[in-house]
Amino acid sequence: MPLPLLPTSLVGSYAQPDWLIDRKNLAGRFPPRVRAKELWRVAPEWLAQAQDDATLLAIRDQERAGLDIVTDGEMRRESYSNRFATALEGVDIDNPGTALDRSGHPNPVPRVAGKVRRKHPVEVEDVKFLRANTSRTIKITVPGPFTMSQQAQNDFYKDEEEMALDYAAAVNAEIKDLFAAGADIVQIDEPYMQARPEKARQYGLKAFNAALGGVKGTTAVHICFGYAAVIHVRPEGYSFLPEFSGSPIQQISIETAQSGLDCSVLEKLPGKTVILGVLDLSDMKVETPEKVAERIRRALKYVPAERIVVAPDCGMKYLPRDVAFGKMCAMVEGTKIVRKELGAA
Amino acid sequence: MSALPLLPTALVGSYPQPDWLIDRERLSKQVPRVVANLWLPGPNELEAKQDEATLLAIRDQESVGLDIVTDGEQRRESYSNRFATALDGVDLVNHGTTLNRSGKPIPVPRIAGKIARRRPVEVRDMKFLRANTKRVTKMTVPGPFTMAKQAQDNFYKDEAAMALDYAAAVNAEIKDLFAAGADIVQIDEPWMQQHPEKARQYGLKTLERALDGVTGTIAIHLCFGYAAVVHDKPSGYSFLPELEGTKVHQVSIEAAQPNLDLRVLRDLPSKTIILGVISLADMTVETPEIVAARIRKAFDHVPPERIVVAPDCGMKYLPRDVAFGKMRAMVEGAAVVRRELGR
């Protein structure tokens, strides 16, 4: 399906409904890295159907708001990463380990007790469901190899790089399957590249690029400063970003709204499409379309409109659904203003 | 009301409920007339989950392309028991008994005092529907005659008088539903077909009372019973031409499964026919061409301008994927006929 100038899209997740997951509990803890089945509010025998239904509603909300690129809203996930990370071989689920979260607090994480390997496709059914239920361009997200290696306790590998490369092989196989199942765009979520820039430079980027080996199809990466609901302070700039210019990744999703990012950094990503965060997810007030337009214009000084996708700063998982829907609508309206100014409406 | 195309498409009322909402296994056993407690969520989360199921039902209807949208009756165990058990005069502890349309004794509301509507019952549902779709909306209420037949009278000793009080309750509800934004209100009176003598004796008068002072588009649904429950169907209605003299604007009938002799529609020259073109006994999804053929068959007796295209009855008991497929076939079949008519 051909996309308009300045196509609009979610980063990945959409507000999960209260009836499906215990949002209060979810909001009061770090994003789960190990399974947290107790969060679900539907009996195990009907959970899959309820997750499908929540996914349908997430799709319809995105369509109604007028998004050009549609995700599955990650309704089936407790967090963006734990569903994939806990489905792998080599991970001891029953005896979790501990790792420091990006806030510096210890959080239970998968304990790597053997060689990390993908046992079976994890999100392929999700992408098939998404493909079957919308005719728009679709995007699906997978957690990145570097981030997963940081959200794990290594009790097996001699060095972290080796572990990250095995995570990369698992992600690589998944990405190829996702494209084969009908994905138009696959996005790798690598927020920890921003949280741990030294290690990201040491071996993270190598693992990340390995995950893209032999992949055909449009790929994106998302990096951010952490969920607004969990991480409250924001730096003004990314500690890891220009490094992606040498990677085969095509699209880079960054947050600019809440952080008031100096968009001149985008000049250091020539040739990349920028998935531009224009919705502040720490603010429960819905932006005006004019505010959204202004945030898009801020980036136009450094990136041509042809290389911009308009998006929220990050996943909308933690937002109340009416706020999330309102913000999506504002995003679409704001984008229309700029398209018109550019004579592309 | 946004403008409707020729041959608009609509559900009769209900749409399948998700397995995570209601115990569909027990639901399929018997149509409840009293509160049956078939819900799976606990009381604290029931309403939120019913709302969500309703949103899903609305989005399914919209995405398939129905012109008129209902709330799918996701909040009801049956089309009638939610309203019927919310009224004054009903003993909710000690039930009565009556014979259902298959001749089996079933628990029904026991009438121990004067029937009166305590409060609006479906107004929140209507507001929710109105807030969540821009399309033309329809809301169903159980009919006073049917509710009177699905009750054990220990108070009135006069069926007709009891039915008139039911009618007053329904009348107040209908007015509130229109005030809450309903475009069409449909009265479900399946038992008029089941008890045609009594329907003639006092059912029509009851209907008249229910519509007293009502402005707005009114439909009435009559059928032979759910396909899942009633298996043998006659090929003609025992009660139908009688509706020509009433104030209702639209008459919903099942025609697909019973292969109804459509000549009877000539007896309803002033009414819009909500024509059942989807058989709910057959889990095979109709082809659009079959749907189109069923629509065309009616044209010998009713002009296209007076037809709304619909399933035979409520889709409550169907697997959801089958219901969705049948809705789609219905929309495509109606499109085939519209094209033939040059619209």
Side-chain angles (χ1 to χ4, degrees), chain A residues 17 19-20 41-42 46 49-50 53-54 56-57 60-61 64 321, chain B residues 18-20 40 45 48-49 52 55-56 59-60 62-63 132 320:
Chain A
W19 62 270
L20 180 65
R41 294 178 72 176
V42 173
W46 304 122
Q49 187 186 105
D53 288 344
L56 270 183
L57 284 174
R60 299 289 167 255
D61 271 10
R64 286 192 307 134
R321 193 167 51 184
Chain B
D19 289 296
W20 45 264
L40 296 183
E45 49 186 10
K49 286 187 172 160
E52 207 70 359
L55 270 184
L56 266 169
R59 299 289 167 253
D60 271 8
E62 287 180 342
S63 69
N132 284 291
R320 193 150 36 127

PDB file of all heavy atoms in Angstrom, chain A residues 17 19-20 41-42 46 49-50 53-54 56-57 60-61 64 321, chain B residues 18-20 40 45 48-49 52 55-56 59-60 62-63 132 320:
ATOM      1  N   PRO A  17      -6.067  -2.565  27.574  1.00  0.00           N
ATOM      2  CA  PRO A  17      -7.259  -2.293  28.374  1.00  0.00           C
ATOM      3  C   PRO A  17      -7.173  -2.894  29.789  1.00  0.00           C
ATOM      4  O   PRO A  17      -6.543  -3.912  30.008  1.00  0.00           O
ATOM      5  CB  PRO A  17      -8.395  -2.939  27.581  1.00  0.00           C
ATOM      6  CG  PRO A  17      -7.752  -3.830  26.588  1.00  0.00           C
ATOM      7  CD  PRO A  17      -6.328  -3.413  26.426  1.00  0.00           C
ATOM      8  N   TRP A  19      -9.393  -4.401  31.479  1.00  0.00           N
ATOM      9  CA  TRP A  19     -10.047  -5.687  31.684  1.00  0.00           C
ATOM     10  C   TRP A  19      -9.121  -6.839  31.300  1.00  0.00           C
ATOM     11  O   TRP A  19      -9.297  -7.966  31.710  1.00  0.00           O
ATOM     12  CB  TRP A  19     -11.354  -5.784  30.888  1.00  0.00           C
ATOM     13  CG  TRP A  19     -11.138  -5.687  29.397  1.00  0.00           C
ATOM     14  CD1 TRP A  19     -11.130  -4.545  28.652  1.00  0.00           C
ATOM     15  CD2 TRP A  19     -10.870  -6.754  28.495  1.00  0.00           C
ATOM     16  NE1 TRP A  19     -10.866  -4.846  27.346  1.00  0.00           N
ATOM     17  CE2 TRP A  19     -10.710  -6.191  27.215  1.00  0.00           C
ATOM     18  CE3 TRP A  19     -10.767  -8.142  28.640  1.00  0.00           C
ATOM     19  CZ2 TRP A  19     -10.449  -6.962  26.095  1.00  0.00           C
ATOM     20  CZ3 TRP A  19     -10.502  -8.903  27.524  1.00  0.00           C
ATOM     21  CH2 TRP A  19     -10.344  -8.317  26.262  1.00  0.00           C
ATOM     22  N   LEU A  20      -8.087  -6.524  30.499  1.00  0.00           N
ATOM     23  CA  LEU A  20      -7.200  -7.574  30.005  1.00  0.00           C
ATOM     24  C   LEU A  20      -6.016  -7.780  30.933  1.00  0.00           C
ATOM     25  O   LEU A  20      -5.602  -8.907  31.201  1.00  0.00           O
ATOM     26  CB  LEU A  20      -6.695  -7.198  28.610  1.00  0.00           C
ATOM     27  CG  LEU A  20      -5.738  -8.191  27.946  1.00  0.00           C
ATOM     28  CD1 LEU A  20      -6.435  -9.511  27.663  1.00  0.00           C
ATOM     29  CD2 LEU A  20      -5.166  -7.601  26.657  1.00  0.00           C
ATOM     30  N   ARG A  41      -5.859 -10.636  33.418  1.00  0.00           N
ATOM     31  CA  ARG A  41      -7.134 -10.678  34.142  1.00  0.00           C
ATOM     32  C   ARG A  41      -8.167 -11.558  33.459  1.00  0.00           C
ATOM     33  O   ARG A  41      -9.358 -11.435  33.710  1.00  0.00           O
ATOM     34  CB  ARG A  41      -7.669  -9.249  34.310  1.00  0.00           C
ATOM     35  CG  ARG A  41      -6.757  -8.436  35.215  1.00  0.00           C
ATOM     36  CD  ARG A  41      -7.246  -7.026  35.359  1.00  0.00           C
ATOM     37  NE  ARG A  41      -8.443  -6.963  36.185  1.00  0.00           N
ATOM     38  CZ  ARG A  41      -9.023  -5.822  36.515  1.00  0.00           C
ATOM     39  NH1 ARG A  41      -8.516  -4.685  36.107  1.00  0.00           N
ATOM     40  NH2 ARG A  41     -10.107  -5.816  37.254  1.00  0.00           N
ATOM     41  N   VAL A  42      -7.700 -12.426  32.578  1.00  0.00           N
ATOM     42  CA  VAL A  42      -8.605 -13.369  31.912  1.00  0.00           C
ATOM     43  C   VAL A  42      -8.069 -14.774  32.186  1.00  0.00           C
ATOM     44  O   VAL A  42      -6.853 -14.987  32.205  1.00  0.00           O
ATOM     45  CB  VAL A  42      -8.653 -13.088  30.392  1.00  0.00           C
ATOM     46  CG1 VAL A  42      -9.456 -14.155  29.668  1.00  0.00           C
ATOM     47  CG2 VAL A  42      -9.243 -11.703  30.122  1.00  0.00           C
ATOM     48  N   TRP A  46      -9.009 -18.770  28.149  1.00  0.00           N
ATOM     49  CA  TRP A  46      -9.567 -17.790  27.200  1.00  0.00           C
ATOM     50  C   TRP A  46      -8.638 -16.616  26.946  1.00  0.00           C
ATOM     51  O   TRP A  46      -8.992 -15.665  26.264  1.00  0.00           O
ATOM     52  CB  TRP A  46     -10.928 -17.261  27.703  1.00  0.00           C
ATOM     53  CG  TRP A  46     -11.913 -18.336  27.957  1.00  0.00           C
ATOM     54  CD1 TRP A  46     -12.557 -18.605  29.136  1.00  0.00           C
ATOM     55  CD2 TRP A  46     -12.374 -19.337  27.029  1.00  0.00           C
ATOM     56  NE1 TRP A  46     -13.366 -19.705  28.990  1.00  0.00           N
ATOM     57  CE2 TRP A  46     -13.281 -20.169  27.722  1.00  0.00           C
ATOM     58  CE3 TRP A  46     -12.101 -19.611  25.681  1.00  0.00           C
ATOM     59  CZ2 TRP A  46     -13.923 -21.256  27.111  1.00  0.00           C
ATOM     60  CZ3 TRP A  46     -12.730 -20.691  25.076  1.00  0.00           C
ATOM     61  CH2 TRP A  46     -13.626 -21.485  25.794  1.00  0.00           C
ATOM     62  N   GLN A  49      -7.778 -15.764  23.208  1.00  0.00           N
ATOM     63  CA  GLN A  49      -8.892 -15.114  22.498  1.00  0.00           C
ATOM     64  C   GLN A  49      -9.050 -13.660  22.948  1.00  0.00           C
ATOM     65  O   GLN A  49      -9.284 -12.768  22.136  1.00  0.00           O
ATOM     66  CB  GLN A  49     -10.200 -15.880  22.753  1.00  0.00           C
ATOM     67  CG  GLN A  49     -11.348 -15.373  21.922  1.00  0.00           C
ATOM     68  CD  GLN A  49     -12.667 -16.041  22.297  1.00  0.00           C
ATOM     69  OE1 GLN A  49     -13.506 -15.437  22.944  1.00  0.00           O
ATOM     70  NE2 GLN A  49     -12.840 -17.296  21.915  1.00  0.00           N
ATOM     71  N   ALA A  50      -8.911 -13.449  24.252  1.00  0.00           N
ATOM     72  CA  ALA A  50      -9.046 -12.082  24.770  1.00  0.00           C
ATOM     73  C   ALA A  50      -7.922 -11.198  24.228  1.00  0.00           C
ATOM     74  O   ALA A  50      -8.147 -10.030  23.899  1.00  0.00           O
ATOM     75  CB  ALA A  50      -9.030 -12.093  26.297  1.00  0.00           C
ATOM     76  N   ASP A  53      -8.755 -10.327  20.726  1.00  0.00           N
ATOM     77  CA  ASP A  53      -9.810  -9.313  20.689  1.00  0.00           C
ATOM     78  C   ASP A  53      -9.262  -7.932  21.023  1.00  0.00           C
ATOM     79  O   ASP A  53      -9.625  -6.937  20.388  1.00  0.00           O
ATOM     80  CB  ASP A  53     -10.943  -9.692  21.647  1.00  0.00           C
ATOM     81  CG  ASP A  53     -11.744 -10.877  21.114  1.00  0.00           C
ATOM     82  OD1 ASP A  53     -11.611 -11.177  19.911  1.00  0.00           O
ATOM     83  OD2 ASP A  53     -12.497 -11.502  21.886  1.00  0.00           O
ATOM     84  N   ALA A  54      -8.381  -7.870  22.019  1.00  0.00           N
ATOM     85  CA  ALA A  54      -7.760  -6.585  22.363  1.00  0.00           C
ATOM     86  C   ALA A  54      -6.921  -6.081  21.181  1.00  0.00           C
ATOM     87  O   ALA A  54      -6.875  -4.879  20.904  1.00  0.00           O
ATOM     88  CB  ALA A  54      -6.900  -6.721  23.610  1.00  0.00           C
ATOM     89  N   LEU A  56      -7.525  -6.721  17.982  1.00  0.00           N
ATOM     90  CA  LEU A  56      -8.478  -6.203  16.989  1.00  0.00           C
ATOM     91  C   LEU A  56      -8.872  -4.767  17.311  1.00  0.00           C
ATOM     92  O   LEU A  56      -8.933  -3.907  16.430  1.00  0.00           O
ATOM     93  CB  LEU A  56      -9.747  -7.058  16.982  1.00  0.00           C
ATOM     94  CG  LEU A  56      -9.797  -8.239  16.041  1.00  0.00           C
ATOM     95  CD1 LEU A  56     -11.173  -8.901  16.138  1.00  0.00           C
ATOM     96  CD2 LEU A  56      -9.539  -7.801  14.602  1.00  0.00           C
ATOM     97  N   LEU A  57      -9.160  -4.520  18.594  1.00  0.00           N
ATOM     98  CA  LEU A  57      -9.575  -3.167  18.981  1.00  0.00           C
ATOM     99  C   LEU A  57      -8.429  -2.174  18.814  1.00  0.00           C
ATOM    100  O   LEU A  57      -8.656  -1.026  18.424  1.00  0.00           O
ATOM    101  CB  LEU A  57     -10.083  -3.158  20.422  1.00  0.00           C
ATOM    102  CG  LEU A  57     -11.479  -3.750  20.594  1.00  0.00           C
ATOM    103  CD1 LEU A  57     -11.847  -3.836  22.061  1.00  0.00           C
ATOM    104  CD2 LEU A  57     -12.502  -2.881  19.869  1.00  0.00           C
ATOM    105  N   ARG A  60      -8.299  -1.419  15.122  1.00  0.00           N
ATOM    106  CA  ARG A  60      -9.415  -0.551  14.699  1.00  0.00           C
ATOM    107  C   ARG A  60      -9.228   0.879  15.216  1.00  0.00           C
ATOM    108  O   ARG A  60      -9.579   1.837  14.524  1.00  0.00           O
ATOM    109  CB  ARG A  60     -10.747  -1.115  15.180  1.00  0.00           C
ATOM    110  CG  ARG A  60     -11.088  -2.492  14.650  1.00  0.00           C
ATOM    111  CD  ARG A  60     -11.455  -2.521  13.165  1.00  0.00           C
ATOM    112  NE  ARG A  60     -11.453  -3.891  12.681  1.00  0.00           N
ATOM    113  CZ  ARG A  60     -10.498  -4.409  11.907  1.00  0.00           C
ATOM    114  NH1 ARG A  60      -9.500  -3.657  11.458  1.00  0.00           N
ATOM    115  NH2 ARG A  60     -10.565  -5.682  11.543  1.00  0.00           N
ATOM    116  N   ASP A  61      -8.699   1.032  16.422  1.00  0.00           N
ATOM    117  CA  ASP A  61      -8.446   2.383  16.936  1.00  0.00           C
ATOM    118  C   ASP A  61      -7.417   3.104  16.065  1.00  0.00           C
ATOM    119  O   ASP A  61      -7.589   4.282  15.750  1.00  0.00           O
ATOM    120  CB  ASP A  61      -7.949   2.322  18.391  1.00  0.00           C
ATOM    121  CG  ASP A  61      -9.108   2.350  19.397  1.00  0.00           C
ATOM    122  OD1 ASP A  61     -10.271   2.229  18.958  1.00  0.00           O
ATOM    123  OD2 ASP A  61      -8.851   2.491  20.608  1.00  0.00           O
ATOM    124  N   ARG A  64      -9.116   4.013  12.838  1.00  0.00           N
ATOM    125  CA  ARG A  64     -10.093   5.094  12.995  1.00  0.00           C
ATOM    126  C   ARG A  64      -9.401   6.433  13.177  1.00  0.00           C
ATOM    127  O   ARG A  64      -9.875   7.463  12.719  1.00  0.00           O
ATOM    128  CB  ARG A  64     -10.998   4.829  14.186  1.00  0.00           C
ATOM    129  CG  ARG A  64     -12.032   3.724  13.926  1.00  0.00           C
ATOM    130  CD  ARG A  64     -13.088   3.694  15.023  1.00  0.00           C
ATOM    131  NE  ARG A  64     -12.478   3.618  16.339  1.00  0.00           N
ATOM    132  CZ  ARG A  64     -12.835   4.356  17.377  1.00  0.00           C
ATOM    133  NH1 ARG A  64     -13.816   5.229  17.267  1.00  0.00           N
ATOM    134  NH2 ARG A  64     -12.230   4.233  18.542  1.00  0.00           N
ATOM    135  N   ARG A 321      -6.458   4.624  27.693  1.00  0.00           N
ATOM    136  CA  ARG A 321      -6.760   4.456  26.279  1.00  0.00           C
ATOM    137  C   ARG A 321      -7.374   5.699  25.646  1.00  0.00           C
ATOM    138  O   ARG A 321      -7.088   6.023  24.490  1.00  0.00           O
ATOM    139  CB  ARG A 321      -7.659   3.237  26.046  1.00  0.00           C
ATOM    140  CG  ARG A 321      -7.719   2.860  24.582  1.00  0.00           C
ATOM    141  CD  ARG A 321      -8.324   1.506  24.346  1.00  0.00           C
ATOM    142  NE  ARG A 321      -9.590   1.395  25.038  1.00  0.00           N
ATOM    143  CZ  ARG A 321     -10.303   0.281  25.062  1.00  0.00           C
ATOM    144  NH1 ARG A 321      -9.867  -0.801  24.458  1.00  0.00           N
ATOM    145  NH2 ARG A 321     -11.443   0.246  25.693  1.00  0.00           N
TER     146      ARG A 321
ATOM    147  N   PRO B  18     -17.926 -13.119  23.194  1.00  0.00           N
ATOM    148  CA  PRO B  18     -16.638 -13.823  23.332  1.00  0.00           C
ATOM    149  C   PRO B  18     -16.681 -14.886  24.441  1.00  0.00           C
ATOM    150  O   PRO B  18     -17.425 -14.758  25.411  1.00  0.00           O
ATOM    151  CB  PRO B  18     -15.660 -12.713  23.719  1.00  0.00           C
ATOM    152  CG  PRO B  18     -16.353 -11.427  23.480  1.00  0.00           C
ATOM    153  CD  PRO B  18     -17.820 -11.683  23.477  1.00  0.00           C
ATOM    154  N   ASP B  19     -15.838 -15.885  24.268  1.00  0.00           N
ATOM    155  CA  ASP B  19     -15.750 -16.958  25.267  1.00  0.00           C
ATOM    156  C   ASP B  19     -15.244 -16.458  26.616  1.00  0.00           C
ATOM    157  O   ASP B  19     -15.505 -17.072  27.633  1.00  0.00           O
ATOM    158  CB  ASP B  19     -14.792 -18.051  24.772  1.00  0.00           C
ATOM    159  CG  ASP B  19     -15.377 -18.845  23.626  1.00  0.00           C
ATOM    160  OD1 ASP B  19     -16.393 -19.513  23.841  1.00  0.00           O
ATOM    161  OD2 ASP B  19     -14.821 -18.782  22.516  1.00  0.00           O
ATOM    162  N   TRP B  20     -14.476 -15.366  26.591  1.00  0.00           N
ATOM    163  CA  TRP B  20     -13.940 -14.862  27.859  1.00  0.00           C
ATOM    164  C   TRP B  20     -14.973 -14.039  28.628  1.00  0.00           C
ATOM    165  O   TRP B  20     -14.747 -13.642  29.756  1.00  0.00           O
ATOM    166  CB  TRP B  20     -12.661 -14.037  27.644  1.00  0.00           C
ATOM    167  CG  TRP B  20     -12.708 -13.037  26.515  1.00  0.00           C
ATOM    168  CD1 TRP B  20     -12.252 -13.214  25.250  1.00  0.00           C
ATOM    169  CD2 TRP B  20     -13.228 -11.702  26.553  1.00  0.00           C
ATOM    170  NE1 TRP B  20     -12.457 -12.067  24.492  1.00  0.00           N
ATOM    171  CE2 TRP B  20     -13.038 -11.140  25.268  1.00  0.00           C
ATOM    172  CE3 TRP B  20     -13.820 -10.919  27.546  1.00  0.00           C
ATOM    173  CZ2 TRP B  20     -13.446  -9.836  24.957  1.00  0.00           C
ATOM    174  CZ3 TRP B  20     -14.225  -9.630  27.234  1.00  0.00           C
ATOM    175  CH2 TRP B  20     -14.040  -9.092  25.955  1.00  0.00           C
ATOM    176  N   LEU B  40     -18.567 -14.897  33.047  1.00  0.00           N
ATOM    177  CA  LEU B  40     -17.293 -15.396  33.567  1.00  0.00           C
ATOM    178  C   LEU B  40     -16.549 -14.363  34.427  1.00  0.00           C
ATOM    179  O   LEU B  40     -15.971 -14.726  35.439  1.00  0.00           O
ATOM    180  CB  LEU B  40     -16.389 -15.870  32.417  1.00  0.00           C
ATOM    181  CG  LEU B  40     -16.929 -17.067  31.617  1.00  0.00           C
ATOM    182  CD1 LEU B  40     -15.911 -17.491  30.564  1.00  0.00           C
ATOM    183  CD2 LEU B  40     -17.255 -18.244  32.531  1.00  0.00           C
ATOM    184  N   GLU B  45     -15.496  -6.531  37.495  1.00  0.00           N
ATOM    185  CA  GLU B  45     -14.974  -6.246  36.158  1.00  0.00           C
ATOM    186  C   GLU B  45     -15.956  -6.595  35.052  1.00  0.00           C
ATOM    187  O   GLU B  45     -15.625  -6.474  33.882  1.00  0.00           O
ATOM    188  CB  GLU B  45     -13.630  -6.947  35.950  1.00  0.00           C
ATOM    189  CG  GLU B  45     -13.629  -8.408  36.322  1.00  0.00           C
ATOM    190  CD  GLU B  45     -12.224  -9.018  36.235  1.00  0.00           C
ATOM    191  OE1 GLU B  45     -11.248  -8.270  36.082  1.00  0.00           O
ATOM    192  OE2 GLU B  45     -12.139 -10.256  36.306  1.00  0.00           O
ATOM    193  N   ALA B  48     -16.861  -3.578  32.606  1.00  0.00           N
ATOM    194  CA  ALA B  48     -15.747  -3.199  31.722  1.00  0.00           C
ATOM    195  C   ALA B  48     -15.587  -4.223  30.603  1.00  0.00           C
ATOM    196  O   ALA B  48     -15.343  -3.869  29.446  1.00  0.00           O
ATOM    197  CB  ALA B  48     -14.453  -3.078  32.515  1.00  0.00           C
ATOM    198  N   LYS B  49     -15.742  -5.490  30.935  1.00  0.00           N
ATOM    199  CA  LYS B  49     -15.580  -6.506  29.910  1.00  0.00           C
ATOM    200  C   LYS B  49     -16.776  -6.522  28.942  1.00  0.00           C
ATOM    201  O   LYS B  49     -16.612  -6.771  27.753  1.00  0.00           O
ATOM    202  CB  LYS B  49     -15.346  -7.875  30.554  1.00  0.00           C
ATOM    203  CG  LYS B  49     -13.925  -7.978  31.123  1.00  0.00           C
ATOM    204  CD  LYS B  49     -13.546  -9.338  31.634  1.00  0.00           C
ATOM    205  CE  LYS B  49     -12.052  -9.322  31.983  1.00  0.00           C
ATOM    206  NZ  LYS B  49     -11.614 -10.366  32.878  1.00  0.00           N
ATOM    207  N   GLU B  52     -16.163  -3.756  26.555  1.00  0.00           N
ATOM    208  CA  GLU B  52     -15.134  -4.099  25.574  1.00  0.00           C
ATOM    209  C   GLU B  52     -15.694  -5.033  24.499  1.00  0.00           C
ATOM    210  O   GLU B  52     -15.413  -4.876  23.313  1.00  0.00           O
ATOM    211  CB  GLU B  52     -13.971  -4.761  26.306  1.00  0.00           C
ATOM    212  CG  GLU B  52     -12.667  -4.602  25.634  1.00  0.00           C
ATOM    213  CD  GLU B  52     -12.108  -3.186  25.677  1.00  0.00           C
ATOM    214  OE1 GLU B  52     -12.758  -2.276  26.238  1.00  0.00           O
ATOM    215  OE2 GLU B  52     -11.023  -2.991  25.117  1.00  0.00           O
ATOM    216  N   LEU B  55     -17.673  -2.944  22.168  1.00  0.00           N
ATOM    217  CA  LEU B  55     -16.809  -2.236  21.212  1.00  0.00           C
ATOM    218  C   LEU B  55     -16.399  -3.157  20.067  1.00  0.00           C
ATOM    219  O   LEU B  55     -16.415  -2.763  18.902  1.00  0.00           O
ATOM    220  CB  LEU B  55     -15.536  -1.747  21.903  1.00  0.00           C
ATOM    221  CG  LEU B  55     -15.554  -0.360  22.528  1.00  0.00           C
ATOM    222  CD1 LEU B  55     -14.160  -0.034  23.062  1.00  0.00           C
ATOM    223  CD2 LEU B  55     -15.984   0.693  21.515  1.00  0.00           C
ATOM    224  N   LEU B  56     -16.023  -4.383  20.433  1.00  0.00           N
ATOM    225  CA  LEU B  56     -15.626  -5.360  19.418  1.00  0.00           C
ATOM    226  C   LEU B  56     -16.763  -5.636  18.447  1.00  0.00           C
ATOM    227  O   LEU B  56     -16.563  -5.715  17.234  1.00  0.00           O
ATOM    228  CB  LEU B  56     -15.273  -6.688  20.086  1.00  0.00           C
ATOM    229  CG  LEU B  56     -13.828  -6.959  20.426  1.00  0.00           C
ATOM    230  CD1 LEU B  56     -13.757  -8.188  21.305  1.00  0.00           C
ATOM    231  CD2 LEU B  56     -13.021  -7.174  19.158  1.00  0.00           C
ATOM    232  N   ARG B  59     -17.135  -2.656  16.150  1.00  0.00           N
ATOM    233  CA  ARG B  59     -16.053  -2.572  15.156  1.00  0.00           C
ATOM    234  C   ARG B  59     -16.177  -3.677  14.107  1.00  0.00           C
ATOM    235  O   ARG B  59     -15.855  -3.466  12.942  1.00  0.00           O
ATOM    236  CB  ARG B  59     -14.692  -2.639  15.833  1.00  0.00           C
ATOM    237  CG  ARG B  59     -14.406  -1.528  16.816  1.00  0.00           C
ATOM    238  CD  ARG B  59     -14.172  -0.171  16.164  1.00  0.00           C
ATOM    239  NE  ARG B  59     -14.224   0.866  17.195  1.00  0.00           N
ATOM    240  CZ  ARG B  59     -15.224   1.727  17.344  1.00  0.00           C
ATOM    241  NH1 ARG B  59     -16.234   1.751  16.479  1.00  0.00           N
ATOM    242  NH2 ARG B  59     -15.221   2.603  18.328  1.00  0.00           N
ATOM    243  N   ASP B  60     -16.607  -4.868  14.524  1.00  0.00           N
ATOM    244  CA  ASP B  60     -16.814  -5.943  13.549  1.00  0.00           C
ATOM    245  C   ASP B  60     -17.889  -5.533  12.542  1.00  0.00           C
ATOM    246  O   ASP B  60     -17.728  -5.731  11.333  1.00  0.00           O
ATOM    247  CB  ASP B  60     -17.231  -7.246  14.250  1.00  0.00           C
ATOM    248  CG  ASP B  60     -16.017  -8.104  14.653  1.00  0.00           C
ATOM    249  OD1 ASP B  60     -14.876  -7.622  14.519  1.00  0.00           O
ATOM    250  OD2 ASP B  60     -16.223  -9.246  15.097  1.00  0.00           O
ATOM    251  N   GLU B  62     -18.831  -2.513  11.740  1.00  0.00           N
ATOM    252  CA  GLU B  62     -18.339  -1.408  10.907  1.00  0.00           C
ATOM    253  C   GLU B  62     -17.339  -1.900   9.868  1.00  0.00           C
ATOM    254  O   GLU B  62     -17.394  -1.509   8.708  1.00  0.00           O
ATOM    255  CB  GLU B  62     -17.649  -0.357  11.790  1.00  0.00           C
ATOM    256  CG  GLU B  62     -18.600   0.465  12.620  1.00  0.00           C
ATOM    257  CD  GLU B  62     -17.854   1.494  13.480  1.00  0.00           C
ATOM    258  OE1 GLU B  62     -16.623   1.336  13.681  1.00  0.00           O
ATOM    259  OE2 GLU B  62     -18.495   2.441  13.935  1.00  0.00           O
ATOM    260  N   SER B  63     -16.411  -2.747  10.313  1.00  0.00           N
ATOM    261  CA  SER B  63     -15.343  -3.105   9.375  1.00  0.00           C
ATOM    262  C   SER B  63     -15.886  -3.978   8.251  1.00  0.00           C
ATOM    263  O   SER B  63     -15.343  -3.998   7.159  1.00  0.00           O
ATOM    264  CB  SER B  63     -14.164  -3.755  10.096  1.00  0.00           C
ATOM    265  OG  SER B  63     -14.520  -5.015  10.585  1.00  0.00           O
ATOM    266  N   ASN B 132     -19.874   5.521  20.359  1.00  0.00           N
ATOM    267  CA  ASN B 132     -18.809   4.744  19.731  1.00  0.00           C
ATOM    268  C   ASN B 132     -19.018   4.401  18.263  1.00  0.00           C
ATOM    269  O   ASN B 132     -18.249   3.620  17.701  1.00  0.00           O
ATOM    270  CB  ASN B 132     -18.544   3.474  20.542  1.00  0.00           C
ATOM    271  CG  ASN B 132     -17.752   3.783  21.800  1.00  0.00           C
ATOM    272  OD1 ASN B 132     -16.579   4.138  21.735  1.00  0.00           O
ATOM    273  ND2 ASN B 132     -18.406   3.707  22.957  1.00  0.00           N
ATOM    274  N   ARG B 320     -18.030 -16.932  16.342  1.00  0.00           N
ATOM    275  CA  ARG B 320     -17.843 -15.557  15.890  1.00  0.00           C
ATOM    276  C   ARG B 320     -17.286 -15.477  14.476  1.00  0.00           C
ATOM    277  O   ARG B 320     -17.661 -14.603  13.701  1.00  0.00           O
ATOM    278  CB  ARG B 320     -16.950 -14.783  16.860  1.00  0.00           C
ATOM    279  CG  ARG B 320     -16.968 -13.297  16.611  1.00  0.00           C
ATOM    280  CD  ARG B 320     -16.739 -12.468  17.878  1.00  0.00           C
ATOM    281  NE  ARG B 320     -15.807 -13.086  18.779  1.00  0.00           N
ATOM    282  CZ  ARG B 320     -14.717 -12.470  19.268  1.00  0.00           C
ATOM    283  NH1 ARG B 320     -14.441 -11.240  18.909  1.00  0.00           N
ATOM    284  NH2 ARG B 320     -13.944 -13.078  20.116  1.00  0.00           N
TER     285      ARG B 320
END
